[in-house]
Amino acid sequence: MEFTLEQEKIFYFVTNESGNGIIDAVAGAGKTTTIIECANRLLQHSSKLFCAFNTKIAGEIRCRFGQKGTQNVRTHTIHSLGLKILTANPPYNYVVRQFKYNTLLRSDSIENELSHIYEFLYQLYTIPNNLTPEEIKLLNNQFKRNFDSNLLKINQLYRNTLTENEIEGFNQIINHYGIFNDSFIKSNNLKREIELYFEANKILLKAGEDQARINHWIDFGDMLYLPYIWNLYPPFTSDFVFVDECQDLSKSQLEIVMKYIHPQGRIMSVGDPQQSIYGFTGADIESFENLKNRTNAHLLSLTGCFRCPLAIVRLAQTIKTEIVGKKNYEGIIDQISLKEIVKYAKPDDLILSRLNVDILNILIEFIELDKKVHIHEDQAKEVISQFKNIFFDTDLSTDLNNELQFKNLINSVRIRSTRFIENNSKKYISNNEKEEYIKIELYELETKLKFITNRWTDWKG
């Protein structure tokens, strides 16, 4: 394989110079290939650790190292490195429970601990006078479910970002990661509601730690969080640590990586600060610059894009001026409306969206047209959750074979959800913002109810 001058400069730095390095690489520049070759060119007796972005990539990297005969190299995801730290220290054996904190939140003991918080929450909202006691109970349950859903998101972000246990830092998480929409940020209840989340999160965090110590139950977030707050040490360190996609490291991931560097060791990281796309999961959007400064790394570059046609590279140059196209064909860029996606999409096309609501609407359009689509497992769970959240447990008694009962169910869901939306809109100060919120929420509600009704009609037919 013929390498570029930029790649050869990186190889020389790794094999002939000292200190740490970090590579600013544009999209399609061969980042992973470059640092694999770096590892291949190091002395075979030096210990090497390759930190891969996910399990699939880790497996592919292991195969590539095996094909090249690279010796004394370990390849792991950062989560697996965190788990290795936990299992190298007492109590050694842990059970991974992906929905550990969901289970905790539903437990009687945590429900009791949070009961006073829920009571304060209910008092923040004005309940219409014309509701029956049963309707008030259902409405409060919906407030609680929304609170619990947000609390789980906050708890995950809190652990990923290693936020200090004080209200100012907690407030920054809420604002930075958009837990609430822009209109709600201006609401009169915001300060008090954040205080309730802060108190609830402390209770949930303590319960999570207790579960890890007593029952040895952890989730994926704990693999990164617990080694840091318990100040645990890894089972080994490496002479040279390589980190791929470093622009998407969370603070908890970075702390795990740093534990594995030998005191006299080096680290070479690679990423593109303008490809940081996992901020919503708790990744540090300043990860590239923070890692560069913390390791006092020498900055290197990969500017050639081998992935994209020239038209796309020119568009990318409006954002990242140094990118250079390496392909010899032009390519096509076009703009279409959201509804036209369903018309133009072909088998094996990939559809990306910044917003869940757009994915939901596109997915519904495909299903209505009887077109098969493959949706990522995490996204599928989110879509299912959006449908489940409009129903209550009491709705399960409906006889779906009975058309009248089904129609009454849909009408009941529409009425109570509309009430909830209208009541929730009172959090907004501006009338325009209230109206916009109601308009969007009612549209999404009707989209879901129409889809469910169509599916029921197909099933009955």
Short mmCIF file of all heavy atoms in Angstrom, two decimals, residues 347-369:
data_model
loop_
_atom_site.label_atom_id
_atom_site.label_comp_id
_atom_site.label_asym_id
_atom_site.label_seq_id
_atom_site.Cartn_x
_atom_site.Cartn_y
_atom_site.Cartn_z
N PRO A 347 -33.61 0.73 -2.09
CA PRO A 347 -32.98 -0.28 -1.23
C PRO A 347 -31.49 0.02 -1.02
O PRO A 347 -30.79 0.45 -1.95
CB PRO A 347 -33.17 -1.58 -2.01
CG PRO A 347 -34.42 -1.34 -2.80
CD PRO A 347 -34.39 0.11 -3.19
N ASP A 348 -31.04 -0.18 0.21
CA ASP A 348 -29.64 0.04 0.63
C ASP A 348 -29.28 1.51 0.81
O ASP A 348 -28.12 1.83 1.08
CB ASP A 348 -28.64 -0.61 -0.34
CG ASP A 348 -28.78 -2.12 -0.39
OD1 ASP A 348 -29.09 -2.70 0.66
OD2 ASP A 348 -28.59 -2.71 -1.47
N ASP A 349 -30.25 2.44 0.65
CA ASP A 349 -29.98 3.84 0.97
C ASP A 349 -29.93 4.01 2.49
O ASP A 349 -30.57 3.26 3.24
CB ASP A 349 -31.09 4.75 0.41
CG ASP A 349 -30.91 5.03 -1.07
OD1 ASP A 349 -29.87 4.65 -1.62
OD2 ASP A 349 -31.83 5.61 -1.68
N LEU A 350 -29.17 5.00 2.94
CA LEU A 350 -29.05 5.31 4.37
C LEU A 350 -29.70 6.66 4.63
O LEU A 350 -29.41 7.64 3.95
CB LEU A 350 -27.57 5.35 4.79
CG LEU A 350 -27.28 5.78 6.24
CD1 LEU A 350 -27.84 4.76 7.22
CD2 LEU A 350 -25.77 5.95 6.44
N ILE A 351 -30.59 6.71 5.62
CA ILE A 351 -31.28 7.95 5.99
C ILE A 351 -30.83 8.36 7.39
O ILE A 351 -30.96 7.59 8.34
CB ILE A 351 -32.80 7.78 5.95
CG1 ILE A 351 -33.25 7.42 4.53
CG2 ILE A 351 -33.51 9.04 6.43
CD1 ILE A 351 -34.72 7.06 4.42
N LEU A 352 -30.31 9.58 7.50
CA LEU A 352 -29.85 10.11 8.78
C LEU A 352 -30.73 11.28 9.18
O LEU A 352 -31.20 12.03 8.32
CB LEU A 352 -28.39 10.58 8.69
CG LEU A 352 -27.36 9.56 8.24
CD1 LEU A 352 -25.99 10.21 8.09
CD2 LEU A 352 -27.27 8.41 9.24
N SER A 353 -30.95 11.45 10.46
CA SER A 353 -31.75 12.58 10.94
C SER A 353 -31.22 13.07 12.27
O SER A 353 -30.77 12.27 13.10
CB SER A 353 -33.22 12.16 11.10
OG SER A 353 -33.98 13.20 11.68
N ARG A 354 -31.30 14.38 12.47
CA ARG A 354 -30.90 14.95 13.75
C ARG A 354 -32.01 14.78 14.79
O ARG A 354 -31.76 14.78 15.98
CB ARG A 354 -30.58 16.45 13.60
CG ARG A 354 -29.32 16.75 12.85
CD ARG A 354 -29.03 18.25 12.81
NE ARG A 354 -28.83 18.78 14.14
CZ ARG A 354 -29.67 19.60 14.76
NH1 ARG A 354 -30.78 19.99 14.17
NH2 ARG A 354 -29.40 20.05 15.97
N LEU A 355 -33.26 14.65 14.35
CA LEU A 355 -34.39 14.65 15.27
C LEU A 355 -35.15 13.33 15.23
O LEU A 355 -35.40 12.77 14.16
CB LEU A 355 -35.36 15.79 14.92
CG LEU A 355 -34.76 17.20 14.93
CD1 LEU A 355 -35.80 18.21 14.45
CD2 LEU A 355 -34.27 17.57 16.32
N ASN A 356 -35.54 12.83 16.42
CA ASN A 356 -36.31 11.60 16.50
C ASN A 356 -37.67 11.73 15.83
O ASN A 356 -38.17 10.79 15.22
CB ASN A 356 -36.50 11.21 17.97
CG ASN A 356 -35.26 10.59 18.57
OD1 ASN A 356 -34.50 9.93 17.87
ND2 ASN A 356 -35.04 10.80 19.85
N VAL A 357 -38.28 12.92 15.96
CA VAL A 357 -39.62 13.09 15.41
C VAL A 357 -39.61 12.92 13.89
O VAL A 357 -40.55 12.36 13.30
CB VAL A 357 -40.22 14.46 15.81
CG1 VAL A 357 -39.40 15.61 15.24
CG2 VAL A 357 -41.67 14.56 15.36
N ASP A 358 -38.56 13.36 13.22
CA ASP A 358 -38.47 13.19 11.77
C ASP A 358 -38.32 11.72 11.41
O ASP A 358 -38.93 11.24 10.44
CB ASP A 358 -37.29 14.00 11.21
CG ASP A 358 -37.54 15.49 11.26
OD1 ASP A 358 -38.72 15.89 11.32
OD2 ASP A 358 -36.57 16.26 11.24
N ILE A 359 -37.50 11.00 12.17
CA ILE A 359 -37.34 9.55 11.94
C ILE A 359 -38.68 8.85 12.10
O ILE A 359 -39.05 7.98 11.30
CB ILE A 359 -36.30 8.96 12.91
CG1 ILE A 359 -34.88 9.37 12.50
CG2 ILE A 359 -36.40 7.44 12.96
CD1 ILE A 359 -34.39 8.73 11.21
N LEU A 360 -39.42 9.22 13.14
CA LEU A 360 -40.73 8.60 13.38
C LEU A 360 -41.67 8.84 12.21
O LEU A 360 -42.32 7.91 11.71
CB LEU A 360 -41.33 9.16 14.67
CG LEU A 360 -42.76 8.72 14.99
CD1 LEU A 360 -42.81 7.22 15.22
CD2 LEU A 360 -43.29 9.45 16.21
N ASN A 361 -41.74 10.09 11.74
CA ASN A 361 -42.66 10.42 10.63
C ASN A 361 -42.26 9.71 9.34
O ASN A 361 -43.11 9.23 8.58
CB ASN A 361 -42.69 11.93 10.42
CG ASN A 361 -43.39 12.65 11.57
OD1 ASN A 361 -44.26 12.08 12.22
ND2 ASN A 361 -43.01 13.89 11.82
N ILE A 362 -40.94 9.66 9.06
CA ILE A 362 -40.47 8.97 7.86
C ILE A 362 -40.77 7.47 7.95
O ILE A 362 -41.22 6.85 6.98
CB ILE A 362 -38.96 9.21 7.66
CG1 ILE A 362 -38.70 10.68 7.32
CG2 ILE A 362 -38.41 8.32 6.56
CD1 ILE A 362 -37.24 11.07 7.37
N LEU A 363 -40.53 6.90 9.12
CA LEU A 363 -40.79 5.47 9.32
C LEU A 363 -42.26 5.16 9.09
O LEU A 363 -42.60 4.16 8.42
CB LEU A 363 -40.36 5.08 10.74
CG LEU A 363 -40.57 3.61 11.13
CD1 LEU A 363 -39.72 2.70 10.25
CD2 LEU A 363 -40.24 3.39 12.60
N ILE A 364 -43.14 5.99 9.63
CA ILE A 364 -44.58 5.78 9.45
C ILE A 364 -44.94 5.85 7.96
O ILE A 364 -45.74 5.04 7.47
CB ILE A 364 -45.37 6.81 10.27
CG1 ILE A 364 -45.28 6.47 11.76
CG2 ILE A 364 -46.83 6.87 9.82
CD1 ILE A 364 -45.92 7.49 12.68
N GLU A 365 -44.36 6.80 7.23
CA GLU A 365 -44.63 6.93 5.79
C GLU A 365 -44.23 5.65 5.05
O GLU A 365 -44.96 5.15 4.19
CB GLU A 365 -43.88 8.12 5.22
CG GLU A 365 -44.41 9.48 5.66
CD GLU A 365 -45.72 9.84 4.99
OE1 GLU A 365 -46.04 9.24 3.94
OE2 GLU A 365 -46.44 10.70 5.52
N PHE A 366 -43.07 5.11 5.38
CA PHE A 366 -42.61 3.88 4.72
C PHE A 366 -43.55 2.72 5.01
O PHE A 366 -43.90 1.93 4.12
CB PHE A 366 -41.19 3.52 5.19
CG PHE A 366 -40.09 4.22 4.45
CD1 PHE A 366 -39.20 5.04 5.10
CD2 PHE A 366 -39.96 4.05 3.08
CE1 PHE A 366 -38.18 5.69 4.41
CE2 PHE A 366 -38.95 4.68 2.38
CZ PHE A 366 -38.06 5.51 3.05
N ILE A 367 -43.95 2.58 6.28
CA ILE A 367 -44.83 1.48 6.66
C ILE A 367 -46.18 1.61 5.98
O ILE A 367 -46.77 0.62 5.51
CB ILE A 367 -44.97 1.41 8.19
CG1 ILE A 367 -43.62 1.07 8.83
CG2 ILE A 367 -46.02 0.37 8.59
CD1 ILE A 367 -43.61 1.12 10.35
N GLU A 368 -46.70 2.84 5.90
CA GLU A 368 -47.99 3.06 5.24
C GLU A 368 -47.93 2.66 3.76
O GLU A 368 -48.92 2.23 3.18
CB GLU A 368 -48.40 4.53 5.35
CG GLU A 368 -48.70 5.00 6.79
CD GLU A 368 -50.00 4.45 7.33
OE1 GLU A 368 -50.60 3.57 6.69
OE2 GLU A 368 -50.42 4.89 8.42
N LEU A 369 -46.75 2.82 3.16
CA LEU A 369 -46.58 2.44 1.75
C LEU A 369 -46.14 0.98 1.60
O LEU A 369 -45.80 0.53 0.50
CB LEU A 369 -45.55 3.36 1.08
CG LEU A 369 -45.97 4.83 0.93
CD1 LEU A 369 -44.79 5.66 0.43
CD2 LEU A 369 -47.15 4.94 -0.01
#
